[in-house]
Amino acid sequence: MGKVKSFAAKLAHDTTTEGKVICPVCKTEVKRIKLVKNKKGQTGWSPDQESVKICQCNEAAIYTGKIL
């Protein structure tokens, strides 16, 4: 099991920028998410996983499926 953190410790961790990548355009944290798409193979369909960086600039386009 992990350590139990107090509310103050969680708040201090969220407010620091140490180790976080900040987008220069929208000034929000850049996160990595995993996209799972379908891939057509010779025998049928299979999942194709891709890791994508996401911030507030491209969040809506990625979640709606415009950018894949």
Side-chain angles (χ1 to χ4, degrees), residues 5-42:
K5 291 184 181 179
S6 66
F7 178 73
K10 289 180 182 179
L11 185 63
H13 178 73
D14 288 342
T15 57
T16 62
T17 59
E18 182 178 333
K20 296 180 182 177
V21 178
I22 305 295
C23 177
V25 178
C26 62
K27 305 290 191 257
T28 58
E29 181 183 0
V30 177
K31 300 176 186 173
R32 294 186 69 81
I33 62 168
K34 185 184 293 186
L35 289 178
V36 180
K37 301 181 282 185
N38 290 332
K39 177 175 64 173
K40 177 80 171 169
Q42 293 180 0

Side-chain angles (χ1 to χ4, degrees), residues 46-62:
S46 63
D48 183 26
Q49 299 178 0
E50 179 183 354
S51 183
V52 177
K53 292 181 181 178
I54 187 170
C55 69
Q56 200 171 14
C57 299
N58 60 357
E59 181 179 37
I62 289 177

